[in-house]
Amino acid sequence: MSKAVASNKSAYNLLALSYCYIFPGTTQNYDKALELLNEARQLSNGDDVDIDILSLKIGQIQLQKGSITEFRTTTNTLEKEQPDKMITHYFSALIAAEDKEWKTAEKEILIAKKLGLADDAVQAFFDSGVKSQLTKRLYINYFIWVTSIWAIGLLLLYIIGKILSIITVNSIENGLLNEDRKTKNFIRSSYKLLINIGGIYYYLSLPIILVLVIAFVVGVFYIFLLIGQMPIKLMLLLIVGSCFTIYGMIRSLLVRIKYSDPGRELKNEEAPGLFNLAKDVANKLETRPIDEIRITLGTDLAVYERVSWKQKLQDRAQRILILGVGVIKDFKQNDFRAVLAHEYGHFSHRDTAGGDVALRVRNDINKYFYALYAAGQNVWWNLAFHFLRLYNFIFSRISFGSTRLQEVLADRVAAQTYGVVAFQNGLTYVIRRDIEFNKSANQEVDAIRNATRPINNIYDQSKISNTEIESELKAALNRKTTEDDTHPSPVDRFKYISKIETQVNTQDSSLVKELFVNWDSLTEEMSKLIEKQIIKNI
C-alpha cells in the first residue's frame, strides 16, 4: 500500500493504506490512519472515493480512539460544509446521544435513515441505549404533564368553589333565591355537579399520589447515589414509610365502615303526641311524614334517610328524625314545629337524597388519614399526608358551601310556614340548650369522677349560672360565618329570613316534653346510660 501511495498519491490509495493501520491483529496506529484519511479527503473529488466514506472512516477512528473532542470537530465541520448529507446527520445523532439529548438524537438518526443509512445501523443505534432513554423520557414527560394538569385541576376546583360561594352569598344577600327560581336551581345544580366532580377527582388523584410517593423515594435514593453516600437508616425509613402509605391508601378504599343508627328508636306508644305533631307539620308542608324517631343522649336535632340509593332518588326512603333528649327540656311546641319544618325542608328539597359522593369521599379521606396516623406517617416528608390535608381543605370548602345553601333554603321553608319569630325562637333555644346541657353534663362527669355522689337526672337540672349561659349564647348567635362552617351563623340566618312576611299565631306555650307519656322515666333511662358510659371510661 505504501508503494502504491508513493507511485500514485490518490485518495483511493491513501484510504487503502489507512486500513492497514486500523486492521485488527496488526500494529494499529490510529493517528497515522487519521493523517492519511484527512489527506485523502483533501485530494478526493468524489470520482475515485466517496467523500462520505472518508468522513465515516474518520469519525469511526476518532470514536475508536475515544477522542470525542476530535469527533465533535469533525461533525461540526460536516454540518457546515455538507449539512444535507446522510453521514452528517448520523454523526450529529451520535453527538446528541453522547450529550444525552435524546430527542435530538432520535430526530437526526431518522433523517439519516431517510437519506440512506442502513436499517441495521439505525437499529443498532437505538439498541445502544437510546431507545430505552427515549422511552424513559417519554414516560417522565407524560407524568410531568399529567401531574401538572392534575395540579391545575385542584386549583380550578378551589377557584370554582370560591366563585360559586361568592355567587351564592350575593344571591342570598340580594334576595335572588327568594324571587328567581332559575338562580336557585342553577346554584343548587352547580354545587351538585362540582361536588360530584370533586369526589371523582379524589379517586383519580390517588394513583398520581402513589406514583409521586414512589418517585420521591427513588429520587432521594438516586441523589444519595450521586453524592456517593448511602444513609441506610434513612432509606429504610423512607421505604417502610412509603409501603405503609401505599397500604393505607389501598386499605382506605377496600375497608367499609359499618354504619349503625344513632340512639334508640322511640316507640309510638311512648310519645303519640310527638308523632302526631310530626305528621301535622308534614301535612302542612305537603310532604311525607317521618317514619321513625330515634332519641339520643345529647342535644341532636337532625334528619336523614335510610335505605338504598335507588329508593332515595325515587323518594321512597325511610325518613328518620334524630331527637336528642337533652334538647327537649323547655322546648315550646310551636317553636319546635318551626325547627321541625326546617328539617322537613331538607326532605322537600331532596337534600337528604344526595350527598352520597361527599359522604363517601370524606369517609375515605378520614380512613386514609387515620391509617397514616396509626403508622406514624403524618410527617412533613410524606406527600400523601400533605395531599390529604390539601384535598380535605378544598373539598370541605366546596361541600360546606353547598350545605350552607341548603340550610338557608330550609330556613325559608320554616319561616314561611310557622313565622320568622317562631323559627328564631326555636333556633335560639336549640343553641342555648346545647350550651346549658353540655355544662350540666360536664358537672355530672366531674362529680362521678371525683366520687362525690351518684349522677343526678341530667336532663332537668338548672344549676348553671344564667349570666354565663347568656354570655356564651350571645357570642354563638352573633359570630361571623366562615367558609369552614357547615351552617351559616345564626345572625346571618336570621337576617336572611327577616323580610319574610307571614300571619302565624304564636300564642301556644305548650312544651314538647308534654307530648311524652312518661317524660321522667325517659330522662332517668338516658341519665343511667350516660352514667354507665362515664364509669366505663374512667
Side-chain angles (χ1 to χ4, degrees), residues 330 425 428-437 439 463-479:
D330 297 316
N425 290 342
T428 301
Y429 170 79
V430 170
I431 297 171
R432 178 190 181 92
R433 183 57 186 150
D434 183 63
I435 297 170
E436 184 179 53
F437 179 77
K439 288 186 175 297
K463 297 180 180 180
I464 306 300
S465 167
N466 192 57
T467 302
E468 187 177 357
I469 296 293
E470 291 299 328
S471 176
E472 290 192 29
L473 177 63
K474 183 178 179 181
L477 291 176
N478 293 288
R479 67 176 181 81

Side-chain angles (χ1 to χ4, degrees), residues 190-202:
S190 297
Y191 262 123
K192 183 178 180 180
L193 177 63
L194 188 60
I195 289 173
N196 287 335
I197 292 174
I200 295 171
Y201 209 82
Y202 171 75

